[in-house]
Coordinates of all heavy atoms in Angstrom, one line a residue:
M23 N 10.4 -27.2 -6.2 CA 11.0 -26.0 -6.6 C 11.2 -25.9 -8.1 O 11.3 -26.8 -8.8 CB 12.4 -25.9 -6.0 CG 12.5 -25.8 -4.6 SD 13.3 -24.3 -4.1 CE 13.2 -24.6 -2.4
S24 N 11.2 -24.6 -8.6 CA 11.3 -24.4 -10.0 C 12.8 -24.3 -10.4 O 13.7 -24.2 -9.5 CB 10.5 -23.2 -10.5 OG 11.3 -22.1 -10.2
D25 N 13.0 -24.2 -11.7 CA 14.4 -24.0 -12.1 C 14.7 -22.5 -12.3 O 15.8 -22.2 -12.8 CB 14.7 -24.8 -13.3 CG 13.7 -24.5 -14.5 OD1 12.8 -23.7 -14.3 OD2 13.9 -25.1 -15.5
L26 N 13.8 -21.7 -11.9 CA 14.0 -20.2 -12.0 C 15.1 -19.9 -11.1 O 15.2 -20.4 -10.0 CB 12.8 -19.4 -11.6 CG 11.6 -19.6 -12.5 CD1 10.4 -18.8 -11.9 CD2 11.9 -19.0 -13.9
T27 N 16.0 -18.9 -11.5 CA 17.1 -18.5 -10.6 C 17.1 -17.0 -10.5 O 16.9 -16.3 -11.5 CB 18.4 -19.1 -11.1 OG1 18.7 -18.6 -12.4 CG2 18.5 -20.6 -11.0
P28 N 17.4 -16.5 -9.3 CA 17.6 -15.0 -9.2 C 19.0 -14.7 -9.8 O 19.7 -15.6 -10.3 CB 17.6 -14.8 -7.7 CG 17.9 -16.1 -7.1 CD 17.5 -17.2 -8.1
F29 N 19.4 -13.5 -9.7 CA 20.6 -13.0 -10.2 C 21.9 -13.7 -9.7 O 22.9 -13.8 -10.4 CB 20.8 -11.5 -10.0 CG 19.7 -10.7 -10.8 CD1 18.7 -10.1 -10.1 CD2 19.8 -10.6 -12.2 CE1 17.8 -9.3 -10.8 CE2 18.9 -9.9 -12.9 CZ 17.8 -9.3 -12.2
D30 N 21.8 -14.2 -8.5 CA 23.0 -14.8 -7.9 C 23.2 -16.2 -8.3 O 24.2 -16.9 -8.0 CB 23.1 -14.7 -6.4 CG 21.9 -15.4 -5.7 OD1 21.2 -16.2 -6.4 OD2 21.8 -15.3 -4.5
G31 N 22.3 -16.8 -9.1 CA 22.4 -18.1 -9.7 C 21.9 -19.2 -8.8 O 21.9 -20.4 -9.1
H32 N 21.4 -18.9 -7.6 CA 20.8 -19.9 -6.7 C 19.3 -20.1 -7.0 O 18.6 -19.2 -7.4 CB 20.9 -19.5 -5.2 CG 22.3 -19.3 -4.7 ND1 23.4 -19.9 -5.3 CD2 22.8 -18.6 -3.7 CE1 24.5 -19.6 -4.7 NE2 24.2 -18.8 -3.7
P33 N 18.8 -21.3 -6.9 CA 17.4 -21.6 -7.1 C 16.5 -20.8 -6.2 O 16.9 -20.5 -5.1 CB 17.3 -23.1 -6.8 CG 18.6 -23.6 -6.7 CD 19.6 -22.5 -6.4
L34 N 15.4 -20.4 -6.7 CA 14.4 -19.7 -5.9 C 13.8 -20.6 -4.9 O 13.5 -21.8 -5.2 CB 13.3 -19.1 -6.8 CG 13.7 -18.1 -7.8 CD1 12.4 -17.7 -8.7 CD2 14.2 -16.9 -7.1
D35 N 13.6 -20.1 -3.7 CA 12.9 -20.9 -2.7 C 11.4 -20.7 -2.8 O 10.9 -19.9 -3.7 CB 13.4 -20.6 -1.2 CG 13.1 -19.2 -0.8 OD1 12.3 -18.5 -1.4 OD2 13.8 -18.7 0.1
E36 N 10.6 -21.4 -2.0 CA 9.1 -21.3 -2.2 C 8.6 -19.9 -2.0 O 7.7 -19.4 -2.7 CB 8.5 -22.2 -1.2 CG 7.0 -22.3 -1.3 CD 6.3 -23.3 -0.4 OE1 7.1 -24.1 0.3 OE2 5.1 -23.4 -0.3
F37 N 9.2 -19.1 -1.0 CA 8.8 -17.7 -0.8 C 9.0 -16.9 -2.0 O 8.2 -16.1 -2.5 CB 9.5 -17.2 0.4 CG 9.2 -15.7 0.7 CD1 8.0 -15.4 1.3 CD2 10.0 -14.7 0.3 CE1 7.7 -14.0 1.6 CE2 9.7 -13.4 0.5 CZ 8.6 -13.1 1.1
D38 N 10.2 -17.0 -2.6 CA 10.6 -16.3 -3.8 C 9.6 -16.6 -5.0 O 9.2 -15.7 -5.7 CB 12.0 -16.6 -4.2 CG 13.1 -16.1 -3.3 OD1 12.8 -15.1 -2.6 OD2 14.1 -16.7 -3.2
E39 N 9.3 -17.9 -5.1 CA 8.4 -18.2 -6.2 C 7.0 -17.6 -6.0 O 6.4 -17.1 -7.0 CB 8.3 -19.7 -6.3 CG 9.5 -20.4 -6.9 CD 9.4 -21.9 -7.0 OE1 8.3 -22.4 -7.1 OE2 10.4 -22.6 -6.9
L40 N 6.5 -17.6 -4.8 CA 5.2 -17.0 -4.5 C 5.2 -15.5 -4.7 O 4.3 -14.9 -5.3 CB 4.7 -17.4 -3.1 CG 4.4 -18.9 -2.9 CD1 4.2 -19.1 -1.4 CD2 3.2 -19.3 -3.7
T41 N 6.2 -14.9 -4.2 CA 6.3 -13.4 -4.2 C 6.7 -12.8 -5.6 O 6.5 -11.7 -5.8 CB 7.1 -12.8 -3.1 OG1 8.5 -13.3 -3.2 CG2 6.6 -13.2 -1.7
A42 N 7.3 -13.7 -6.4 CA 7.8 -13.2 -7.7 C 6.6 -12.7 -8.6 O 6.8 -11.9 -9.5 CB 8.6 -14.3 -8.4
Q43 N 5.4 -13.2 -8.3 CA 4.2 -12.9 -9.1 C 3.5 -11.7 -8.6 O 2.6 -11.2 -9.2 CB 3.3 -14.1 -9.2 CG 3.9 -15.4 -9.7 CD 4.5 -15.1 -11.1 OE1 3.9 -14.5 -12.0 NE2 5.7 -15.6 -11.3
L44 N 3.9 -11.2 -7.4 CA 3.2 -10.0 -6.9 C 3.6 -8.8 -7.6 O 4.7 -8.7 -8.1 CB 3.5 -9.9 -5.4 CG 3.0 -11.0 -4.5 CD1 3.6 -10.8 -3.1 CD2 1.5 -11.1 -4.5
P45 N 2.7 -7.8 -7.7 CA 3.1 -6.5 -8.3 C 4.2 -5.8 -7.5 O 4.3 -6.0 -6.3 CB 1.8 -5.7 -8.2 CG 0.8 -6.4 -7.5 CD 1.4 -7.8 -7.2
N46 N 5.1 -5.2 -8.2 CA 6.2 -4.5 -7.6 C 5.9 -3.0 -7.8 O 6.2 -2.4 -8.8 CB 7.5 -4.9 -8.3 CG 8.7 -4.4 -7.6 OD1 8.6 -3.8 -6.5 ND2 9.9 -4.5 -8.2
P47 N 5.4 -2.3 -6.7 CA 5.0 -0.9 -6.9 C 6.3 0.0 -7.0 O 7.3 -0.3 -6.5 CB 4.3 -0.6 -5.6 CG 4.7 -1.6 -4.6 CD 5.1 -2.8 -5.4
S48 N 6.1 1.1 -7.7 CA 7.2 2.0 -7.9 C 7.4 2.7 -6.6 O 6.5 2.8 -5.7 CB 6.8 3.0 -9.0 OG 5.8 3.9 -8.5
P49 N 8.6 3.4 -6.4 CA 8.8 4.2 -5.2 C 7.7 5.2 -5.0 O 7.3 5.5 -3.9 CB 10.2 4.8 -5.4 CG 10.9 3.8 -6.3 CD 9.8 3.3 -7.2
F50 N 7.3 5.9 -6.1 CA 6.3 6.9 -6.0 C 4.9 6.3 -5.5 O 4.3 6.9 -4.7 CB 6.0 7.6 -7.3 CG 5.1 8.7 -7.3 CD1 5.3 9.8 -6.5 CD2 3.9 8.7 -8.0 CE1 4.4 10.9 -6.4 CE2 3.0 9.8 -7.9 CZ 3.3 10.9 -7.1
Q51 N 4.6 5.1 -6.0 CA 3.3 4.5 -5.5 C 3.4 4.1 -4.0 O 2.5 4.3 -3.3 CB 3.1 3.2 -6.3 CG 1.8 2.5 -5.9 CD 0.5 3.3 -6.2 OE1 0.4 3.7 -7.4 NE2 -0.3 3.6 -5.2
V52 N 4.6 3.7 -3.6 CA 4.8 3.4 -2.2 C 4.6 4.7 -1.4 O 3.9 4.7 -0.3 CB 6.2 2.7 -1.9 CG1 6.5 2.6 -0.4 CG2 6.2 1.4 -2.6
M53 N 5.3 5.8 -1.8 CA 5.1 7.0 -1.1 C 3.7 7.5 -1.1 O 3.2 8.1 -0.1 CB 6.1 8.0 -1.6 CG 7.6 7.7 -1.4 SD 8.0 7.2 0.3 CE 7.6 8.7 1.2
W54 N 3.0 7.4 -2.2 CA 1.6 7.8 -2.4 C 0.8 7.1 -1.3 O 0.0 7.7 -0.6 CB 1.1 7.5 -3.8 CG -0.3 8.0 -4.0 CD1 -1.4 7.3 -3.6 CD2 -0.8 9.1 -4.6 NE1 -2.5 8.0 -4.0 CE2 -2.2 9.1 -4.6 CE3 -0.1 10.2 -5.3 CZ2 -2.9 10.1 -5.2 CZ3 -0.9 11.2 -5.8 CH2 -2.3 11.2 -5.7
N55 N 0.9 5.8 -1.3 CA 0.2 5.0 -0.3 C 0.4 5.4 1.1 O -0.5 5.6 1.9 CB 0.4 3.5 -0.5 CG 0.0 3.0 -1.8 OD1 -0.8 3.6 -2.5 ND2 0.5 1.8 -2.2
E56 N 1.7 5.7 1.5 CA 2.0 6.1 2.8 C 1.4 7.5 3.1 O 0.9 7.8 4.2 CB 3.5 6.1 3.0 CG 4.1 4.7 3.1 CD 5.6 4.7 3.3 OE1 6.2 5.7 3.7 OE2 6.2 3.7 3.0
A57 N 1.5 8.4 2.1 CA 1.0 9.8 2.3 C -0.5 9.7 2.5 O -1.1 10.4 3.4 CB 1.4 10.6 1.1
E58 N -1.2 8.9 1.7 CA -2.6 8.8 1.8 C -3.0 8.2 3.2 O -4.0 8.7 3.9 CB -3.2 7.9 0.7 CG -4.7 7.8 0.7 CD -5.3 7.0 -0.4 OE1 -4.5 6.2 -1.0 OE2 -6.5 7.1 -0.7
E59 N -2.3 7.2 3.7 CA -2.6 6.6 5.0 C -2.4 7.7 6.1 O -3.2 7.8 7.0 CB -1.7 5.4 5.2 CG -2.1 4.2 4.4 CD -1.2 3.0 4.7 OE1 -0.4 3.0 5.7 OE2 -1.1 2.1 3.8
M60 N -1.3 8.5 6.0 CA -1.1 9.5 7.0 C -2.2 10.5 7.0 O -2.7 10.9 8.0 CB 0.3 10.2 6.7 CG 0.6 11.2 7.7 SD 1.9 12.4 7.1 CE 1.1 13.2 5.8
L61 N -2.6 11.0 5.8 CA -3.7 12.0 5.7 C -5.0 11.4 6.2 O -5.7 12.2 6.9 CB -3.8 12.5 4.3 CG -2.7 13.4 3.8 CD1 -2.8 13.7 2.3 CD2 -2.7 14.8 4.6
L62 N -5.3 10.2 5.9 CA -6.5 9.6 6.4 C -6.5 9.6 8.0 O -7.5 9.8 8.6 CB -6.7 8.1 5.9 CG -7.1 8.0 4.5 CD1 -6.9 6.6 4.0 CD2 -8.5 8.5 4.3
E63 N -5.3 9.4 8.5 CA -5.2 9.3 10.0 C -5.3 10.7 10.6 O -6.0 10.9 11.6 CB -3.9 8.6 10.4 CG -3.8 8.5 11.9 CD -2.5 7.8 12.3 OE1 -1.9 7.1 11.5 OE2 -2.1 7.9 13.5
Y64 N -4.5 11.7 10.0 CA -4.4 13.0 10.7 C -5.4 14.0 10.1 O -5.5 15.1 10.7 CB -3.0 13.5 10.5 CG -2.0 12.7 11.3 CD1 -1.1 11.8 10.7 CD2 -2.0 12.7 12.7 CE1 -0.3 11.0 11.5 CE2 -1.1 12.0 13.5 CZ -0.3 11.1 12.8 OH 0.6 10.3 13.6
Q65 N -6.0 13.8 9.0 CA -7.0 14.7 8.5 C -8.3 13.9 8.1 O -8.7 13.9 6.9 CB -6.5 15.4 7.3 CG -5.4 16.4 7.6 CD -5.0 17.2 6.3 OE1 -3.8 17.1 5.9 NE2 -5.9 17.9 5.7
P66 N -8.9 13.3 9.1 CA -10.1 12.4 8.7 C -11.3 13.3 8.2 O -12.1 12.7 7.5 CB -10.5 11.8 10.1 CG -9.8 12.6 11.1 CD -8.6 13.3 10.5
Q67 N -11.2 14.6 8.3 CA -12.3 15.4 7.8 C -12.2 15.5 6.3 O -13.1 16.0 5.6 CB -12.3 16.8 8.5 CG -11.1 17.7 8.1 CD -9.8 17.4 8.8 OE1 -9.6 16.5 9.5 NE2 -8.8 18.3 8.5
G68 N -11.0 15.1 5.7 CA -10.9 15.1 4.3 C -9.7 15.9 3.8 O -9.1 16.7 4.5
F69 N -9.3 15.6 2.6 CA -8.2 16.3 1.9 C -8.3 16.1 0.4 O -9.1 15.4 -0.1 CB -6.9 15.6 2.4 CG -6.9 14.1 2.4 CD1 -6.5 13.4 1.3 CD2 -7.2 13.4 3.5 CE1 -6.5 12.1 1.2 CE2 -7.3 12.0 3.5 CZ -6.9 11.4 2.4
E70 N -7.5 16.8 -0.3 CA -7.5 16.8 -1.8 C -6.4 15.8 -2.3 O -5.4 15.7 -1.6 CB -7.2 18.2 -2.3 CG -8.3 19.2 -1.9 CD -9.7 18.9 -2.5 OE1 -9.8 18.4 -3.6 OE2 -10.7 19.1 -1.8
P71 N -6.6 15.2 -3.4 CA -5.6 14.3 -4.0 C -4.3 15.0 -4.2 O -3.2 14.4 -4.1 CB -6.2 13.9 -5.3 CG -7.6 14.4 -5.4 CD -7.8 15.3 -4.3
E72 N -4.3 16.3 -4.5 CA -3.1 17.1 -4.6 C -2.2 17.0 -3.4 O -1.0 17.0 -3.5 CB -3.3 18.5 -5.0 CG -4.0 18.7 -6.3 CD -5.5 18.8 -6.2 OE1 -6.1 18.3 -5.2 OE2 -6.1 19.4 -7.1
E73 N -2.8 17.0 -2.2 CA -2.0 16.9 -1.0 C -1.3 15.6 -0.9 O -0.1 15.6 -0.5 CB -3.0 17.1 0.2 CG -3.6 18.4 0.4 CD -4.5 18.5 1.5 OE1 -4.0 18.6 2.7 OE2 -5.8 18.5 1.3
I74 N -1.9 14.5 -1.3 CA -1.3 13.2 -1.3 C -0.1 13.3 -2.2 O 1.0 12.9 -1.9 CB -2.2 12.1 -1.8 CG1 -3.5 12.0 -0.9 CG2 -1.5 10.7 -1.7 CD1 -4.6 11.1 -1.5
G75 N -0.3 13.8 -3.5 CA 0.8 13.8 -4.4 C 1.9 14.7 -4.0 O 3.1 14.3 -4.2
R76 N 1.7 15.8 -3.5 CA 2.7 16.7 -3.1 C 3.6 16.1 -1.9 O 4.8 16.2 -2.0 CB 2.2 18.1 -2.6 CG 1.7 18.9 -3.8 CD 1.4 20.3 -3.5 NE 0.9 21.0 -4.7 CZ -0.3 21.3 -4.9 NH1 -1.3 21.0 -4.0 NH2 -0.7 21.9 -6.0
I77 N 2.9 15.5 -1.0 CA 3.6 14.9 0.1 C 4.5 13.7 -0.4 O 5.6 13.6 -0.1 CB 2.6 14.4 1.2 CG1 2.0 15.5 1.9 CG2 3.4 13.4 2.2 CD1 0.9 15.2 2.8
A78 N 3.8 12.9 -1.3 CA 4.5 11.7 -1.8 C 5.8 12.2 -2.6 O 6.9 11.6 -2.5 CB 3.6 10.9 -2.7
F79 N 5.6 13.1 -3.5 CA 6.7 13.6 -4.3 C 7.8 14.2 -3.5 O 9.0 14.0 -3.8 CB 6.1 14.6 -5.4 CG 7.1 14.9 -6.4 CD1 7.4 14.1 -7.5 CD2 7.9 16.1 -6.4 CE1 8.3 14.4 -8.5 CE2 8.8 16.4 -7.4 CZ 9.0 15.5 -8.4
D80 N 7.4 15.0 -2.5 CA 8.4 15.7 -1.7 C 9.2 14.7 -0.9 O 10.4 15.0 -0.6 CB 7.8 16.7 -0.8 CG 7.3 18.0 -1.5 OD1 7.7 18.2 -2.7 OD2 6.5 18.7 -0.9
C81 N 8.6 13.6 -0.5 CA 9.3 12.6 0.3 C 10.2 11.6 -0.6 O 11.0 10.9 0.0 CB 8.3 11.7 1.0 SG 7.5 12.7 2.4
L82 N 10.1 11.7 -1.9 CA 10.9 10.8 -2.7 C 12.4 11.3 -2.7 O 12.6 12.5 -2.7 CB 10.4 10.9 -4.2 CG 9.2 10.1 -4.5 CD1 8.8 10.4 -6.0 CD2 9.5 8.6 -4.4
P83 N 13.3 10.3 -2.8 CA 14.7 10.7 -3.0 C 14.8 11.4 -4.4 O 14.0 11.1 -5.3 CB 15.4 9.4 -3.0 CG 14.5 8.4 -2.4 CD 13.1 8.9 -2.6
D84 N 15.7 12.4 -4.5 CA 15.8 13.2 -5.7 C 16.0 12.3 -7.0 O 15.5 12.6 -8.0 CB 17.0 14.1 -5.6 CG 16.7 15.3 -4.7 OD1 15.5 15.6 -4.5 OD2 17.6 16.0 -4.3
E85 N 16.7 11.2 -6.8 CA 16.9 10.3 -8.0 C 15.7 9.6 -8.5 O 15.6 9.1 -9.6 CB 18.1 9.3 -7.8 CG 17.8 8.3 -6.7 CD 18.2 8.8 -5.3 OE1 18.6 9.9 -5.1 OE2 18.2 7.9 -4.3
E86 N 14.6 9.5 -7.6 CA 13.4 8.9 -8.0 C 12.4 9.9 -8.6 O 11.4 9.5 -9.2 CB 12.7 8.2 -6.8 CG 13.5 7.1 -6.2 CD 13.6 5.9 -7.1 OE1 12.9 5.8 -8.1 OE2 14.5 5.1 -6.9
K87 N 12.6 11.2 -8.5 CA 11.6 12.2 -8.9 C 11.4 12.2 -10.4 O 10.3 12.4 -10.9 CB 12.0 13.6 -8.4 CG 11.8 13.6 -6.9 CD 12.1 15.0 -6.3 CE 11.8 15.0 -4.8 NZ 12.0 16.2 -4.2
P88 N 12.4 12.1 -11.3 CA 12.2 12.1 -12.7 C 11.2 10.9 -13.1 O 10.3 11.1 -13.9 CB 13.5 11.9 -13.4 CG 14.5 12.5 -12.4 CD 13.9 12.1 -11.0
A89 N 11.4 9.7 -12.6 CA 10.5 8.6 -12.9 C 9.1 8.9 -12.4 O 8.1 8.5 -13.1 CB 11.1 7.3 -12.3
A90 N 9.0 9.5 -11.3 CA 7.6 9.8 -10.7 C 7.0 10.9 -11.6 O 5.8 10.7 -11.9 CB 7.8 10.4 -9.3
L91 N 7.7 11.9 -12.1 CA 7.1 12.8 -13.0 C 6.7 12.1 -14.3 O 5.6 12.4 -14.9 CB 8.1 14.0 -13.3 CG 8.1 15.0 -12.3 CD1 9.2 16.1 -12.6 CD2 6.8 15.7 -12.1
D92 N 7.5 11.2 -14.8 CA 7.1 10.5 -16.0 C 5.8 9.7 -15.8 O 4.9 9.7 -16.7 CB 8.2 9.5 -16.4 CG 9.5 10.2 -17.0 OD1 9.4 11.4 -17.3 OD2 10.5 9.6 -17.1
A93 N 5.7 9.1 -14.7 CA 4.5 8.3 -14.4 C 3.3 9.3 -14.3 O 2.2 8.9 -14.8 CB 4.6 7.6 -13.1
L94 N 3.4 10.4 -13.7 CA 2.3 11.4 -13.6 C 1.9 11.9 -14.9 O 0.7 12.0 -15.2 CB 2.7 12.6 -12.7 CG 2.8 12.2 -11.2 CD1 3.5 13.4 -10.4 CD2 1.5 11.9 -10.6
F95 N 2.9 12.2 -15.8 CA 2.6 12.7 -17.1 C 1.8 11.6 -17.9 O 0.9 11.9 -18.6 CB 3.9 13.1 -17.9 CG 4.6 14.3 -17.3 CD1 5.9 14.4 -17.5 CD2 3.9 15.2 -16.5 CE1 6.6 15.5 -16.9 CE2 4.6 16.3 -16.0 CZ 6.0 16.4 -16.2
Y96 N 2.3 10.4 -17.8 CA 1.6 9.3 -18.5 C 0.2 9.1 -18.0 O -0.7 8.9 -18.8 CB 2.4 8.0 -18.3 CG 1.9 6.8 -19.1 CD1 2.1 6.7 -20.4 CD2 1.0 5.9 -18.4 CE1 1.6 5.6 -21.1 CE2 0.5 4.8 -19.1 CZ 0.7 4.7 -20.5 OH 0.2 3.7 -21.2
C97 N 0.0 9.2 -16.7 CA -1.3 9.0 -16.1 C -2.2 10.1 -16.6 O -3.4 9.9 -16.9 CB -1.2 9.0 -14.6 SG -2.7 8.8 -13.7
W98 N -1.7 11.3 -16.6 CA -2.5 12.5 -17.1 C -2.9 12.2 -18.5 O -4.1 12.4 -18.9 CB -1.7 13.8 -17.0 CG -2.4 15.0 -17.5 CD1 -2.3 15.5 -18.7 CD2 -3.4 15.7 -16.8 NE1 -3.1 16.6 -18.8 CE2 -3.8 16.8 -17.7 CE3 -4.0 15.6 -15.6 CZ2 -4.8 17.7 -17.3 CZ3 -5.0 16.6 -15.2 CH2 -5.4 17.6 -16.1
W99 N -2.0 11.8 -19.4 CA -2.3 11.6 -20.8 C -3.3 10.5 -20.9 O -4.2 10.6 -21.7 CB -1.0 11.2 -21.5 CG -1.2 10.8 -23.0 CD1 -1.1 9.6 -23.5 CD2 -1.6 11.7 -24.0 NE1 -1.5 9.6 -24.8 CE2 -1.8 10.9 -25.2 CE3 -1.9 13.0 -24.1 CZ2 -2.1 11.4 -26.4 CZ3 -2.3 13.6 -25.3 CH2 -2.4 12.8 -26.5
T100 N -3.2 9.4 -20.2 CA -4.1 8.3 -20.2 C -5.5 8.8 -19.8 O -6.5 8.4 -20.5 CB -3.6 7.2 -19.3 OG1 -2.3 6.7 -19.7 CG2 -4.6 6.0 -19.3
A101 N -5.6 9.6 -18.8 CA -6.9 10.1 -18.4 C -7.5 11.0 -19.5 O -8.7 10.9 -19.7 CB -6.8 10.9 -17.1
L102 N -6.7 11.8 -20.1 CA -7.2 12.7 -21.2 C -7.7 11.8 -22.3 O -8.8 12.1 -22.9 CB -6.1 13.6 -21.7 CG -5.8 14.8 -20.8 CD1 -4.6 15.6 -21.4 CD2 -7.0 15.7 -20.7
Q103 N -7.0 10.8 -22.7 CA -7.4 9.9 -23.8 C -8.6 9.2 -23.5 O -9.5 9.1 -24.3 CB -6.2 8.9 -24.1 CG -5.0 9.6 -24.8 CD -5.3 10.3 -26.1 OE1 -5.5 11.5 -26.1 NE2 -5.5 9.5 -27.1
S104 N -8.7 8.7 -22.3 CA -10.0 8.0 -21.8 C -11.2 8.9 -21.9 O -12.3 8.5 -22.3 CB -9.7 7.4 -20.4 OG -10.9 6.8 -20.0
D105 N -11.0 10.2 -21.4 CA -12.1 11.1 -21.4 C -12.5 11.4 -22.9 O -13.7 11.5 -23.2 CB -11.7 12.4 -20.7 CG -12.8 13.4 -20.6 OD1 -13.9 13.1 -20.1 OD2 -12.6 14.5 -21.2
R106 N -11.5 11.6 -23.8 CA -11.8 11.9 -25.2 C -12.6 10.7 -25.8 O -13.6 10.9 -26.5 CB -10.6 12.2 -25.9 CG -9.9 13.5 -25.6 CD -8.6 13.6 -26.3 NE -7.9 14.9 -25.9 CZ -6.7 15.1 -25.9 NH1 -5.8 14.2 -26.3 NH2 -6.2 16.3 -25.5
E107 N -12.2 9.5 -25.5 CA -12.8 8.3 -26.1 C -14.3 8.2 -25.5 O -15.2 7.9 -26.3 CB -12.0 7.1 -25.8 CG -10.7 7.0 -26.5 CD -9.8 5.9 -26.0 OE1 -10.2 5.2 -25.1 OE2 -8.7 5.9 -26.5
A108 N -14.4 8.5 -24.2 CA -15.8 8.4 -23.6 C -16.7 9.5 -24.2 O -17.9 9.2 -24.5 CB -15.7 8.6 -22.1
R109 N -16.2 10.7 -24.4 CA -17.0 11.7 -25.0 C -17.4 11.4 -26.5 O -18.5 11.6 -26.9 CB -16.2 13.1 -25.0 CG -16.2 13.7 -23.6 CD -15.2 14.9 -23.6 NE -15.1 15.5 -22.3 CZ -15.9 16.5 -21.9 NH1 -16.8 17.0 -22.6 NH2 -15.7 16.9 -20.7
A110 N -16.4 10.8 -27.2 CA -16.7 10.4 -28.6 C -17.8 9.3 -28.6 O -18.7 9.4 -29.5 CB -15.4 9.9 -29.3
R111 N -17.7 8.3 -27.7 CA -18.7 7.3 -27.7 C -20.1 7.9 -27.3 O -21.1 7.5 -27.9 CB -18.4 6.2 -26.7 CG -17.3 5.2 -27.1 CD -17.2 4.0 -26.2 NE -16.9 4.4 -24.8 CZ -15.7 4.6 -24.3 NH1 -14.7 4.5 -25.1 NH2 -15.6 4.9 -23.0
Y112 N -20.1 8.8 -26.4 CA -21.4 9.4 -26.0 C -22.0 10.2 -27.2 O -23.2 10.1 -27.4 CB -21.1 10.4 -24.8 CG -22.3 11.1 -24.3 CD1 -23.3 10.4 -23.5 CD2 -22.5 12.4 -24.5 CE1 -24.4 11.0 -23.0 CE2 -23.6 13.1 -24.0 CZ -24.6 12.3 -23.3 OH -25.7 13.0 -22.8
Q113 N -21.1 10.9 -27.9 CA -21.6 11.7 -29.0 C -22.1 10.8 -30.2 O -23.1 11.0 -30.8 CB -20.6 12.7 -29.6 CG -20.3 13.8 -28.6 CD -19.2 14.8 -29.1 OE1 -18.3 14.3 -29.8 NE2 -19.3 16.0 -28.7
D114 N -21.4 9.7 -30.4 CA -21.8 8.7 -31.4 C -23.1 8.1 -31.1 O -23.8 7.6 -32.0 CB -20.7 7.6 -31.5 CG -19.4 8.0 -32.2 OD1 -19.5 9.2 -32.8 OD2 -18.4 7.3 -32.1
M115 N -23.5 8.0 -29.8 CA -24.8 7.5 -29.4 C -25.9 8.5 -29.4 O -27.0 8.3 -28.9 CB -24.7 6.8 -28.0 CG -23.8 5.6 -28.0 SD -23.4 4.9 -26.3 CE -24.6 5.4 -25.3
G116 N -25.6 9.7 -29.9 CA -26.6 10.8 -30.0 C -26.6 11.7 -28.8 O -27.4 12.6 -28.8
G117 N -25.7 11.6 -27.9 CA -25.6 12.5 -26.8 C -25.0 13.9 -27.2 O -24.2 14.0 -28.1
A118 N -25.4 14.9 -26.5 CA -24.9 16.2 -26.7 C -24.0 16.6 -25.5 O -24.4 16.3 -24.4 CB -26.0 17.2 -26.9
L119 N -22.9 17.3 -25.8 CA -22.1 17.7 -24.7 C -22.3 19.1 -24.3 O -22.7 20.0 -25.0 CB -20.6 17.5 -25.0 CG -20.2 16.1 -25.2 CD1 -18.7 16.0 -25.6 CD2 -20.4 15.3 -23.8

């Protein structure tokens, strides 16, 4: 056992030590995954990502919605920056847009 301790001051057991390293998804990510699984089951013919997002967001408790919006805004910004960087690299290599 390690000397790591949770908030209550007790040593971590083996399960705690193993699971402490696992990613901790946000509530929005959990709802997104559940919405996607539901749509895959009930709409196997296909669906749009917006449907997943709307279902996930609508199912969140109100107190979780601001953090979900922040994550969405950050994701959008990251995608825009990535696209801009890719376009700049392409143009630097002589490509035309």
Side-chain angles (χ1 to χ4, degrees):
M23 292 244 182
S24 82
D25 55 359
L26 297 174
T27 58
F29 293 109
D30 65 6
H32 296 339
L34 296 176
D35 62 21
E36 186 176 352
F37 178 80
D38 292 332
E39 288 181 26
L40 292 171
T41 58
Q43 302 305 315
L44 295 175
N46 189 9
S48 70
F50 184 62
Q51 183 65 55
V52 171
M53 294 310 300
W54 180 282
N55 294 345
E56 289 181 18
E58 184 178 18
E59 288 176 20
M60 181 197 67
L61 287 169
L62 285 168
E63 183 177 342
Y64 293 107
Q65 290 183 241
Q67 72 281 7
F69 48 86
E70 298 296 323
E72 294 92 337
E73 292 177 77
I74 304 170
R76 286 188 182 107
I77 291 169
F79 191 80
D80 288 345
C81 290
L82 280 174
D84 286 342
E85 63 271 8
E86 297 293 344
K87 289 181 179 183
L91 279 176
D92 289 347
L94 289 170
F95 296 153
Y96 183 81
C97 184
W98 179 262
W99 175 252
T100 302
L102 285 175
Q103 291 299 100
S104 179
D105 184 58
R106 289 173 182 157
E107 291 168 5
R109 288 173 182 264
R111 281 191 305 273
Y112 182 73
Q113 288 176 334
D114 288 346
M115 294 174 18
L119 295 177

